[in-house]
């Protein structure tokens, strides 16, 4: 009895297909997780000693569960006297304040406590698979003696899974698996120093100019973010298409060689 063995051409084609499949799977997996961290994104400038509006961006990492709770924790070694969440439809926000060991000086007044945590809980809405949600916050005054604020986050899913985004980046080391969101602070300036609020009534000309500049900065920031997201998506798609075309070309070459040998 004669046992037929697969030809070397068939083995080569199988190996090429297997290698291509592994490479393609790796690209798809990496493209799905590399940009899935919880992050903090300033709208405009976050200057030392001033006030800023930021978005806590929360992507959903699960294929079979939805995010129903998000908690962000603020450092008390660089406390913030004011943290105000903007209402988000379908979510309930709760602000937690903690007593300070050393009072803050703000607008000539002593502040004995600061915001230590903001928690959003789903109230008719969820962050489903393949979706993300932004939670806007107004922060101030930002510290003058720090270059960044580490804002640790905890994400809870409706299947009881909890992801703790609390690992701090160490200089010279690879990015941790669950990095804590970091707000980078720019140098202090007169325009963004966070002075006392203007008296009630009609805004001054300088205040109107500042508001207009702030809106223009925010619009530019949105455009830059959209362009970056589009660029990332295009790069991932082109990478996957390149692998597919490469695998198809190698396989075609192997099969063509086999036909010639026959």
């Amino acid at each position: 009895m004669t046992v037929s063995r697969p030809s070397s051409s068939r083995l080569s084609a199988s190996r090429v297909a297997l290698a291509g499949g592994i490479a393609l799977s790796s690209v798809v997996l990496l493209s799905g997780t590399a940009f899935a961290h919880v992050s903090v994104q300033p709208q405009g400038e976050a200057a030392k000693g001033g006030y800023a509006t930021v978005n806590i961006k929360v992507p959903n990492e699960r294929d079979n569960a939805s995010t129903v709770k998000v908690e962000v924790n603020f450092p008390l070694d660089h406390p913030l006297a004011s943290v105000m969440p903007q209402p988000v439809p379908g979510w309930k926000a709760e602000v937690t304040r903690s007593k300070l060991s050393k009072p803050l000086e703000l607008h000539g007044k002593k502040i004995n406590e600061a915001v230590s945590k903001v928690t959003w809980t789903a109230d008719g809405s969820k962050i489903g698979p393949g979706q993300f949600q932004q939670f806007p916050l107004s922060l101030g005054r930002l510290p003058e003696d720090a270059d960044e604020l580490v804002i640790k986050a905890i994400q809870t899913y409706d299947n009881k899974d909890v992801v703790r985004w609390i690992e701090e980046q160490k200089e010279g080391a690879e990015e941790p698996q669950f990095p804590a969101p970091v707000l980078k602070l720019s140098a202090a300036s007169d325009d963004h120093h966070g002075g006392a609020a203007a008296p009630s009534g009609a805004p001054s000309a300088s205040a109107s100019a500042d508001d207009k500049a702030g809106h223009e900065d925010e619009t530019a920031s949105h455009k830059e973010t959209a362009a970056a997201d589009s660029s990332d998506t295009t790069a991932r798609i082109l990478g996957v298409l390149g692998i597919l075309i490469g695998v198809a070309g190698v396989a075609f070459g192997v099969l063509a060689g086999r036909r010639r040998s026959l």
Side-chain angles (χ1 to χ4, degrees):
M1 178 173 136
T2 302
V3 179
S4 61
R5 295 181 180 179
S7 66
S8 59
S9 297
R10 288 184 181 178
L11 288 175
S12 298
S14 298
R15 288 170 184 160
V16 169
L18 177 60
I22 293 173
L24 178 59
S25 299
S26 300
V27 170
V28 172
L29 288 173
L30 289 173
S31 65
T33 58
F35 301 91
H37 302 331
V38 172
S39 61
V40 55
Q41 302 175 340
Q43 300 303 299
E45 189 176 29
K48 297 178 182 180
Y51 293 81
T53 299
V54 303
N55 282 329
I56 304 297
K57 185 176 181 180
V58 183
N60 191 86
E61 288 192 315
R62 299 289 189 268
D63 293 329
N64 57 353
S66 297
T67 299
V68 293
K69 185 178 179 181
V70 177
E71 174 187 313
V72 293
N73 296 271
F74 297 91
L76 291 180
D77 55 343
H78 295 291
L80 300 173
S82 174
V83 177
M84 295 186 296
Q86 179 177 317
V88 177
W91 294 84
K92 180 182 178 181
E94 180 182 357
V95 178
T96 302
R97 305 181 71 88
S98 297
K99 199 168 186 64
L100 298 175
S101 57
K102 182 180 179 181
L104 284 174
E105 289 283 345
L106 184 65
H107 303 319
K109 296 181 179 179
K110 283 189 176 182
I111 306 297
N112 295 313
E113 59 180 18
V115 174
S116 57
K117 180 171 64 175
V118 177
T119 305
W120 290 272
T121 306
D123 185 22
S125 182
K126 296 180 180 181
I127 308 175
Q131 299 177 343
F132 75 92
Q133 177 65 55
Q134 295 192 110
F135 298 94
L137 290 171
S138 175
L139 308 179
R141 295 174 59 172
L142 299 173
E144 299 184 57
D145 58 349
D147 295 323
E148 63 183 28
L149 288 179
V150 178
I151 303 174
K152 298 182 179 181
I154 299 176
Q155 182 177 12
T156 303
Y157 291 86
D158 56 9
N159 64 353
K160 308 303 180 184
D161 283 352
V162 176
V163 181
R164 301 179 183 276
W165 302 96
I166 62 174
E167 298 175 9
E168 297 189 35
Q169 177 71 52
K170 295 182 179 179
E171 187 175 356
E174 293 184 359
E175 184 184 53
Q177 184 177 5
F178 301 104
V182 176
L183 175 63
K184 300 290 185 180
L185 304 181
S186 59
S189 64
D190 293 337
D191 293 338
H192 300 277
H193 198 66
S200 58
S204 64
S206 60
S208 299
D210 288 342
D211 288 343
K212 182 179 179 181
H215 287 305
E216 291 175 351
D217 288 343
E218 185 171 346
T219 300
S221 175
H222 283 309
K223 290 180 179 178
E224 291 173 2
T225 301
D229 290 343
S230 176
S231 177
D232 290 339
T233 302
T234 302
R236 291 199 295 271
I237 293 173
L238 290 176
V240 172
L241 288 176
I243 290 175
L244 288 174
I245 293 171
V247 170
V250 173
F252 178 79
V254 170
L255 292 176
R258 184 184 168 208
R259 291 193 186 96
R260 286 197 297 269
S261 64
L262 293 175

